[in-house]
Amino acid sequence: MNSPLLERVQFLRAFVMHPRQVGAVLPTSQRAVSDMLALAPLEAATLVVELGAGTGSHTQAVLDRLGPQARLIAFEIDPALAQVLRAKVSDPRLQVVAGSAETVVEVLDGARPEVVVSALPFTSLPAGIGKVILQRAAGVLAPGGTLLVLQYSPLIVPELHRLFGSVRRRVCLRNVPPAWLFACTEPKAL
Ligand SMILES: C[S@@+](CC[C@H](N)C(=O)[O-])C[C@H]1O[C@@H](n2cnc3c(N)ncnc32)[C@H](O)[C@@H]1O
């Protein structure tokens, strides 16, 4: 099992290799994770998708809230971080996809998650990719579902309002840097 310090080193290494893809120097704090997850009814979910799982700041916390029959599919584009996650979290409800969240529609193959949890750095991803992923995430949600988004600025707000009828927000100061948390529901038919 990895120590928290080793995980931070692995995360920092990934940031140094791909700064725009990782978008943060530290994993999300457990305070920001719990503030974010409190914005959606995870306990009732049968399928949850995580986008940009990194070293798993959200992963175990999501599993802790899910029922025994529920499933979590976690996407992580960096194979080294996906391997860290697989080694860290051993749970039959978890499927780690070492690939891009752009493939969410194909991977889900018609399954509809009630909650999608994203810590992807939308504003620093290569041009266009963030918008594509957000739109696909909105499109796969089950009726009544929620997309949770963590960002380090409010720059994404107009895009969230373009895609969703309802966008709630809160800010968590106990994170480096402070985290903007959004709960998006009522995806629009575009
Ligand atoms: C800000 S970090 C968040 C990591 C972790 N969820 C956390 O909160 O500490 C963003 C993560 O998204 C991953 N990522 C970036 N682009 C991605 C993509 N297209 N598909 C899946 N993961 C991606 C990065 O490799 C990185 O691990």
Side-chain angles (χ1 to χ4, degrees):
M1 181 188 283
N2 279 350
S3 72
L5 180 60
L6 179 56
E7 262 175 50
R8 284 184 180 204
V9 170
Q10 289 161 328
F11 193 92
L12 184 60
R13 183 172 180 277
F15 173 78
V16 169
M17 306 277 285
H18 308 287
R20 291 171 66 85
Q21 182 173 284
V22 175
V25 291
L26 286 174
T28 304
S29 72
Q30 284 308 295
R31 179 54 180 265
V33 168
S34 63
D35 284 358
M36 182 174 178
L37 299 185
L39 296 171
L42 278 165
E43 291 75 7
T46 58
L47 176 62
V48 175
V49 167
E50 183 182 359
L51 307 178
T55 51
S57 302
H58 296 76
T59 312
Q60 187 62 55
V62 171
L63 289 166
D64 289 345
R65 287 160 176 76
L66 293 182
Q69 304 302 327
R71 290 189 300 137
L72 170 60
I73 302 177
F75 289 79
E76 173 47 55
I77 200 168
D78 183 323
L81 293 182
Q83 190 47 42
V84 169
L85 185 59
R86 287 197 180 103
K88 177 181 169 186
V89 185
S90 165
D91 188 311
R93 298 171 298 169
L94 172 66
Q95 176 189 349
V96 177
V97 177
S100 175
E102 292 160 89
T103 64
V104 65
V105 176
E106 294 90 320
V107 171
L108 288 181
D109 193 23
R112 310 283 297 274
E114 293 93 349
V115 183
V116 175
V117 179
S118 171
L120 291 173
F122 285 115
T123 49
S124 67
L125 290 179
I129 301 274
K131 281 191 176 183
V132 165
I133 295 173
L134 267 179
Q135 192 151 343
R136 290 181 186 167
V140 298
L141 276 179
T146 306
L147 169 65
L148 297 177
V149 173
L150 181 150
Q151 294 289 278
Y152 298 123
S153 81
L155 284 174
I156 197 75
V157 168
E159 185 61 12
L160 297 180
H161 281 294
R162 190 179 76 81
L163 294 171
F164 291 91
S166 168
V167 178
R168 288 177 294 139
R169 73 171 89 176
R170 67 180 290 183
V171 175
C172 176
L173 298 176
R174 288 175 62 179
N175 192 71
V176 181
W180 291 73
L181 309 172
F182 301 97
C184 311
T185 52
E186 303 166 25
K188 296 177 182 172
L190 296 176

